């Protein structure tokens, strides 16, 4: 694995796992209260999870330049996640208000 230290890999991996656990908890909560708005929110968070997996995969393969498409895809997922999060947060805010 690339020049990232063991501690950096540990923190990054735990962050992605923690993110996945948070998504699952939110999904279960949304399912229990039958809220489609929160399910949309967790879907937005899932896009960020995929973005994190992309960057970890790229680092795992020694930042290999032939995998630059993975970084472009990760950037696209981050943009898509941001747009999706704005939309789902706005719809959730409208529901609360």
């Amino acid at each position: 694995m690339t020049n990232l230290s063991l501690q950096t890999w540990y923190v990054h991996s735990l962050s992605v796992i923690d993110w996945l656990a948070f998504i699952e908890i939110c999904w279960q909560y949304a399912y229990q209260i039958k809220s489609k708005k929160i399910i949309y929110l967790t879907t937005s968070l899932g896009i960020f999870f995929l973005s994190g997996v992309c960057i970890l995969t790229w680092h795992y393969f020694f930042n290999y330049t032939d995998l630059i498409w993975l970084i472009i895809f990760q950037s696209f997922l981050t943009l898509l996640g941001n747009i999706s999060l704005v939309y789902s947060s706005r719809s959730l805010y409208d529901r609360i208000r």
Side-chain angles (χ1 to χ4, degrees):
M1 291 186 273
T2 186
N3 57 359
L4 297 178
S5 68
L6 183 61
Q7 294 85 358
T8 303
W9 273 110
Y10 181 72
V11 168
H12 283 37
S13 300
L14 284 181
S15 296
V16 170
I17 293 168
D18 184 42
W19 195 252
L20 192 59
F22 178 72
I23 292 170
E24 178 64 24
I25 290 168
C26 286
W27 186 277
Q28 292 296 327
Y29 176 71
Y31 184 74
Q32 286 179 354
I33 66 169
K34 296 174 179 41
S35 172
K36 287 186 179 180
K37 306 286 185 183
I38 297 177
I39 289 176
Y40 295 151
L41 181 71
T42 58
T43 304
S44 300
L45 298 175
I47 296 170
F48 286 116
F49 169 75
L50 292 175
S51 176
V53 170
C54 283
I55 197 68
L56 283 178
T57 303
W58 187 64
H59 284 312
Y60 182 78
F61 288 107
F62 305 101
N63 301 342
Y64 190 54
T65 54
D66 285 349
L67 293 177
I68 197 69
W69 64 268
L70 196 58
I71 299 304
I72 295 168
F73 185 60
Q74 183 264 341
S75 300
F76 173 73
L77 285 175
T78 302
L79 177 65
L80 184 66
N82 286 332
I83 292 168
S84 177
L85 193 60
V86 166
Y87 172 74
S88 61
S89 298
R90 180 67 182 170
S91 65
L92 188 61
Y93 175 75
D94 289 342
R95 179 181 175 262
I96 293 171
R97 197 168 50 141

